[in-house]
Amino acid sequence: MSLIVQKYGGTSVGNPERIRNVAARVAKYRAQGDQVVVVVSAMSGVTDNLIKLAKEIMPLPNEREMDVLLATGEQTTIALAAMALHALGVKAVSLTGAQAGIKTDGVHTKAKIQNITPKKIHQHLKDGNVVIVAGFQGETPDGHITTLGRGGSDLTAIALAAALKANLCQIYTDVDGVYTADPRIVPGARKLEEISYDEMLELASLGAKVMQSRSVEFAKKFGVIFEVRSSLNDNPGTIVKEETKNMEDVVIRGVSLDKNQAKVTLVAVPDKPGVAARIFKSLGDAAINVDMIVQNISHGSGAPATDLSFTVDKADLLKAQKVIDGLKQEIHFGGIIATDKIGKLSIVGVGMKSHSGIAGKMFETLANEGVNIEMISTSEIKISVIIDLAKGEQAMKAVHAAFLG
Ligand code: ASP
Ligand code: MG
């Protein structure tokens, strides 16, 4: 008998028929004698709608209340999924994140899991139940509802697989696995049989949208091997695990396009020690994740000044602007320009460590498409560029064709 953790994303539970489809799959594993813990997301579109509703009330809603609101999405799905199993004559019980024993810190809307005490889960499994856990949520030690950041149901699943020492962890989604690029954008994209945590991490954090990046970090840290596969068919998916030797033979594993970033430029920032520290410390204190940072050389006569650009999650743009506005009196920069009309295009592969000329080939491909590069950043296994959002998909197709076509 195995203990299996299965996670079903928003589209996999997007309507009653899909939920019944999930129940049928779970029932099949149950009939083989396996114990199953199911983690579900909110039905597709629900979380976005809740956010929209909140923003109609006010532009910057209180984050504790945001969590109370957003947690309802997953709570709807767990109850419906339990009912769908009951309809098939399968014993099942639903648990909220808090009931499942998921304790987090108090950073509302992007809380970190501190520990999991899955006592109730074990009890219900022992009684012969399928246990359905609400993804994306937990509670603080003093009982406030928290959520784990967008896409956080993945984290719930991986963390539960680690805490329960599950034999198998399956992440069900609406694609057959991890592809060399999003097949909805690049028709020639191919499914990968396996991928390393680090490559997956880059692809996830770069917006390949397959999985939440924090969940992959967590899996790497705790050695949780998992499979990404489709809830719509029985095809084998992509196995995500520690890097193996032959993985470096492939130069580029995948291309991704992140449309969820925004760029902030501070114009004419005084070029002297401590200014950048002040800016990024303030952003950090507001729990805003900064991704790329580019500072130009000093310009202008008189006191040296420079332009400073950085990118943040689109969702944090208003908050970031507010933080920067608050520094205006103290730092005396010339102005602030913000745009969310950017895309981050990236190529990823552990093979980059042992092959050269990759950046040149990527930039040449973009030049041939008439795409201007606004910012560049690199790591050992990745090259990312910020480009005009309007040209994002065209650029992605061209780069995919150049390296993986
Ligand atoms: N419902 C949440 C979201 O849309 C969490 C998830 O789907 O994983 O971000
Ligand atoms: Mg998701």
Side-chain angles (χ1 to χ4, degrees):
M1 186 185 70
S2 304
L3 171 55
I4 306 176
V5 172
Q6 298 185 335
K7 182 256 170 178
Y8 294 92
T11 45
S12 300
V13 292
N15 57 45
E17 192 198 327
R18 290 267 172 94
I19 293 175
R20 278 197 294 269
N21 179 44
V22 165
R25 186 182 296 267
V26 173
K28 215 173 70 194
Y29 281 92
R30 204 55 203 111
Q32 293 165 14
D34 297 320
Q35 291 186 322
V36 191
V37 173
V38 179
V39 175
V40 287
S41 290
M43 296 165 76
S44 58
V46 166
T47 307
D48 286 340
N49 273 333
L50 291 171
I51 292 173
K52 210 172 125 226
L53 260 177
K55 297 219 157 133
E56 275 171 34
I57 301 284
M58 67 185 292
L60 260 185
N62 175 278
E63 292 184 326
R64 180 194 180 277
E65 303 311 327
M66 256 339 253
D67 277 351
V68 174
L69 178 70
L70 295 188
T72 62
E74 272 69 13
Q75 197 171 331
T76 305
T77 325
I78 53 172
L80 293 174
M83 292 171 193
L85 279 158
H86 296 165
L88 297 176
V90 177
K91 278 179 77 178
V93 62
S94 67
L95 297 176
T96 65
Q99 290 173 326
I102 299 173
K103 288 276 189 285
T104 73
D105 64 19
V107 184
H108 285 290
T109 76
K110 43 181 135 179
K112 288 203 167 64
I113 295 179
Q114 285 180 332
N115 59 70
I116 300 181
T117 316
K119 217 174 82 195
K120 282 215 183 88
I121 298 183
H122 282 303
Q123 263 165 18
H124 287 301
L125 286 174
K126 218 173 110 222
D127 293 344
N129 285 293
V130 170
V131 180
I132 302 163
V133 179
F136 177 54
Q137 56 174 264
E139 70 171 346
T140 64
D142 40 348
H144 298 283
I145 297 174
T146 51
T147 64
L148 309 175
R150 296 306 306 268
S153 300
D154 292 329
L155 182 60
T156 304
I158 301 284
L160 276 179
L164 296 165
K165 301 191 173 57
N167 305 91
L168 199 62
C169 180
Q170 300 173 318
I171 307 290
Y172 285 94
T173 178
D174 54 354
V175 291
D176 280 358
V178 184
Y179 277 68
T180 51
D182 185 339
R184 286 164 291 198
I185 301 177
V186 181
R190 298 184 307 272
K191 186 178 80 186
L192 299 162
E193 264 169 48
E194 56 176 28
I195 184 169
S196 72
Y197 290 124
D198 286 336
E199 288 170 327
M200 180 69 182
L201 206 46
E202 292 291 6
L203 286 171
S205 69
L206 297 173
K209 278 193 295 187
V210 193
M211 272 181 84
Q212 188 213 35
S213 57
R214 274 174 55 199
S215 65
V216 184
E217 271 165 30
F218 197 101
K220 179 180 157 82
K221 189 158 156 201
F222 292 95
V224 180
I225 297 173
F226 60 91
E227 181 187 12
V228 179
R229 54 185 291 171
S230 171
S231 65
L232 307 173
N233 59 48
D234 286 319
N235 300 341
T238 303
I239 305 289
V240 188
K241 58 180 192 185
E242 203 44 75
E243 183 179 332
T244 55
K245 265 207 210 82
N246 60 356
M247 282 182 175
E248 265 197 54
D249 298 345
V250 182
V251 185
I252 299 302
R253 185 86 51 204
V255 181
S256 71
L257 178 63
D258 184 355
K259 299 180 180 177
N260 262 316
Q261 298 248 319
K263 186 174 75 163
V264 179
T265 301
L266 300 190
V267 184
V269 184
D271 195 5
K272 58 180 191 208
V275 171
R278 187 77 186 90
I279 292 169
F280 292 103
K281 176 89 178 37
S282 304
L283 292 166
D285 289 345
I288 296 168
N289 272 332
V290 173
D291 181 21
M292 279 196 213
I293 302 174
V294 168
Q295 182 184 309
N296 288 341
I297 51 167
S298 286
H299 56 71
S301 49
T306 178
D307 297 341
L308 186 67
S309 295
F310 60 89
T311 63
V312 295
D313 273 1
K314 233 173 222 178
D316 280 338
L317 182 58
L318 271 182
K319 211 163 118 192
Q321 277 177 279
K322 222 175 132 188
V323 168
I324 301 293
D325 283 341
L327 293 172
K328 179 103 198 165
Q329 293 302 321
E330 186 186 331
I331 297 183
H332 303 294
F333 49 88
I336 168 170
I337 305 169
T339 173
D340 58 5
K341 302 277 180 295
I342 57 158
K344 180 161 87 167
L345 178 71
S346 308
I347 54 177
V348 171
V350 290
M352 254 184 233
K353 296 184 205 168
S354 51
H355 294 76
S356 58
I358 315 298
K361 183 167 168 184
M362 182 189 194
F363 300 161
E364 188 180 27
T365 307
L366 292 172
N368 291 341
E369 293 293 316
V371 175
N372 186 42
I373 299 173
E374 297 174 27
M375 291 166 97
I376 301 172
S377 86
T378 63
S379 82
E380 219 186 3
I381 66 165
K382 141 203 112 168
I383 302 168
S384 302
V385 295
I386 296 292
I387 57 177
D388 180 4
L389 183 59
K391 290 190 174 166
E393 297 195 355
Q394 171 202 346
M396 185 186 198
K397 282 180 195 148
V399 169
H400 187 275
F403 286 99
L404 293 151

